[in-house]
Amino acid sequence: MKEKLLIRMTILLPFLILAIGEKEVKCTKQGESISRALIDHQVNKTILVPGGDVYDCIGVSVQPAFKHPLLKNHKIQMEPSSLPLSAYPESPSMHAIPQVQLPIIECPTGTIPVLRNNRRDRMAAKTINEIVSKDLQQEAAGIQYLDELYGTRARINVYEPKVKTNSKDTSASRIQINGGEGVGRRDALGVGSWVSPSYSGDSFARFHVYWDDGSPTKACVDHDCTAFVQVNRHVGLGGRIKPISMYNGPQYEIDILIFKDPKTKNWWVAYGEKNTPIGYWPSSLFHYVKDKGDSAWWGGYVQGPTASTDSPQMGSGHFASEGFGKASFFKNIQIVDNNNKLVTPNIYTAHLGSTNLSKYTTDGYEVNNYGLHMYYGGPGDLV
Ligand SMILES: *[C@@H]1O[C@H](CO)[C@@H](O)[C@H](O)[C@H]1NC(C)=O
Ligand SMILES: *[C@@H]1O[C@H](CO)[C@@H](O)[C@H](O)[C@H]1NC(C)=O
């Protein structure tokens, strides 16, 4: 009897440490299997996407987010109370490059798609060690913005950088809003395109939203964590982005907007030229971005156990100096100011940089017809 208890304690310990050391929300595999079991009872329709992804359509009001203790009495907000206003009309040339197609799932009204990650579930046992591991390397190249903001919008040129299949590293192109960095803890909200073989079980560029509370372990991604409230019944988080840009070939981009709802203070994610809302992180979840963010990031980010010692590609895998059609870019970078207006960030509070110029670079930093613009990326150690 005693032995049994001991064994159970040993297994539970890593989870307890996580639960006590960090916030209540943790993307442990255990949490996932619990929500999986709950989800199974509430599946309205299951949709198989060509290529093998499986989405479950789940009632919008019983989605994973509402398992969070802080969201027990949360009243769902089905649409933003307003969108940030454009400070200037967009020039037609802005739309010269076609938009990528986000994974579109035809869930019935009143439900939202939740990805069933079969390939990853099979790796569940391994991931526990990964989560408690402190062995995290990271590199980044892009623009850091250091001033208050209430949202950001940018067009991200989407590529599929090469990441070694057996490496557990991730290569992402993303926009992120941060708060609280100076106090040693933080909240970070981000959206972007990732290649992460160990997370998704393949090497495709996939669309993700995440909340990162600054713990060195793992971010809360899509619906893995009980945090993101999705209202859009079509956009499949975690799904493949198609088509992707080709080196010296056709380019594709995605228009992403993150903004704070001026009335409810929830942080919304919207996409496309029409700013179609996808969903939001309820403001009650946060400590450091309750009212606004205090910095932002646009660019490439690689992380994982070998992200510095055997770095994956970033962006197109080519250096920024190669320019349009070859190097990956961000354009029309804007922030939402305290008047709920989208404006070009002050370039004097924005800093361009890379953690290691022999792997990744930045270039073409300017304000032009496409707003604030930048090229970034590189081969990493995959030369
Ligand atoms: C499917 O969703 C609809 C709308 O929310 C609901 O009325 C219906 O009961 C659901 N069916 C199942 C099997 O959950
Ligand atoms: C940058 O990357 C190169 C090539 O991998 C490596 O030799 C060098 O030590 C790195 N520099 C820094 C500052 O990490």
Side-chain angles (χ1 to χ4, degrees):
M1 189 63 188
K2 244 188 180 157
E3 266 165 39
K4 229 182 189 165
L5 194 68
L6 198 68
I7 291 165
R8 280 183 50 191
M9 281 300 289
T10 325
I11 295 169
L12 274 174
L13 204 59
F15 296 108
L16 287 175
I17 291 167
L18 282 173
I20 295 164
E22 304 299 336
K23 281 183 211 159
E24 303 85 335
V25 198
K26 264 300 142 209
C27 305
T28 61
K29 279 294 153 186
Q30 197 183 41
E32 237 170 68
S33 53
I34 289 167
S35 55
R36 179 79 254 148
L38 288 167
I39 282 171
D40 285 340
H41 294 294
Q42 292 155 348
V43 174
N44 211 297
K45 185 177 174 185
T46 295
I47 294 174
L48 176 65
V49 181
D53 285 348
V54 177
Y55 279 90
D56 291 318
C57 300
I58 292 174
V60 65
S61 56
V62 295
Q63 62 182 296
F66 297 117
K67 312 283 187 298
H68 192 291
L70 288 174
L71 301 181
K72 281 261 146 53
N73 299 313
H74 179 77
K75 193 173 177 301
I76 192 165
Q77 186 182 4
M78 287 306 287
E79 53 187 50
S81 56
S82 63
L83 286 169
L85 304 164
S86 277
Y88 47 81
E90 293 192 352
S91 68
S93 63
M94 195 76 89
H95 305 299
I97 295 179
Q99 299 262 323
V100 297
Q101 183 75 46
L102 287 187
I104 296 299
I105 316 297
E106 296 296 334
C107 277
T109 307
T111 71
I112 55 125
V114 175
L115 179 65
R116 203 191 283 182
N117 197 328
N118 297 320
R119 292 175 301 272
R120 184 173 21 131
D121 287 346
R122 267 186 247 121
M123 303 190 290
K126 267 193 273 172
T127 339
I128 292 163
N129 293 330
E130 209 174 272
I131 288 168
V132 287
S133 159
K134 297 276 183 289
D135 180 24
L136 181 79
Q137 301 178 351
Q138 49 195 339
E139 304 284 348
I143 301 172
Q144 187 174 32
Y145 176 77
L146 296 171
D147 204 350
E148 66 171 47
L149 76 170
Y150 298 79
T152 176
R153 184 176 184 183
R155 285 171 176 250
I156 308 174
N157 184 205
V158 179
Y159 272 91
E160 213 155 64
K162 285 200 172 52
V163 179
K164 286 202 183 70
T165 336
N166 54 1
S167 71
K168 296 205 182 114
D169 293 339
T170 296
S171 182
S173 299
R174 63 194 205 179
I175 64 178
Q176 184 173 302
I177 292 177
N178 308 311
E181 217 108 34
V183 295
R185 291 289 302 275
R186 69 165 195 188
D187 281 312
L189 309 173
V191 181
S193 162
W194 304 5
V195 174
S196 183
S198 64
Y199 180 79
S200 54
D202 58 35
S203 299
F204 298 124
R206 290 175 174 271
F207 179 72
H208 293 290
V209 304
Y210 63 92
W211 161 36
D212 170 358
D213 70 359
S215 71
T217 49
K218 209 165 186 187
C220 284
V221 183
D222 302 339
H223 291 294
D224 284 1
C225 252
T226 53
F228 189 78
V229 179
Q230 182 165 347
V231 298
N232 186 304
R233 71 182 167 102
H234 294 306
V235 175
L237 298 180
R240 280 185 69 181
I241 301 175
K242 285 192 265 191
I244 50 142
S245 308
M246 304 283 289
Y247 179 75
N248 218 359
Q251 301 299 303
Y252 297 93
E253 60 186 29
I254 180 172
D255 192 340
I256 295 292
L257 169 66
I258 306 177
F259 66 100
K260 185 170 266 300
D261 191 298
K263 288 222 172 73
T264 63
K265 307 278 185 197
N266 295 330
W267 283 99
W268 281 89
V269 175
Y271 78 104
E273 272 147 39
K274 298 200 181 98
N275 294 316
T276 309
I278 298 175
Y280 62 90
W281 292 278
S283 88
S284 58
L285 295 175
F286 302 116
H287 291 100
Y288 306 109
V289 291
K290 267 203 183 323
D291 297 311
K292 61 189 173 204
D294 55 27
S295 68
W297 166 263
W298 304 280
Y301 177 75
V302 301
Q303 81 156 57
T306 60
S308 296
T309 46
D310 190 10
S311 303
Q313 290 185 343
M314 179 191 288
S316 69
H318 289 259
F319 286 119
S321 57
E322 291 195 32
F324 184 77
K326 295 177 174 176
S328 191
F329 63 79
F330 273 66
K331 76 178 191 200
N332 195 23
I333 299 171
Q334 296 178 302
I335 60 153
V336 180
D337 69 9
N338 59 1
N339 296 315
N340 204 28
K341 278 216 173 76
L342 277 160
V343 296
T344 299
N346 179 339
I347 57 169
Y348 298 106
T349 45
H351 306 276
L352 190 66
S354 161
T355 51
N356 189 329
L357 288 169
S358 68
K359 297 172 200 270
Y360 312 114
T361 57
T362 52
D363 202 357
Y365 180 51
E366 60 172 354
V367 177
N368 61 17
N369 289 343
Y370 304 114
L372 181 61
H373 176 282
M374 159 197 69
Y375 292 110
Y376 73 98
D381 287 313
L382 290 165
V383 196

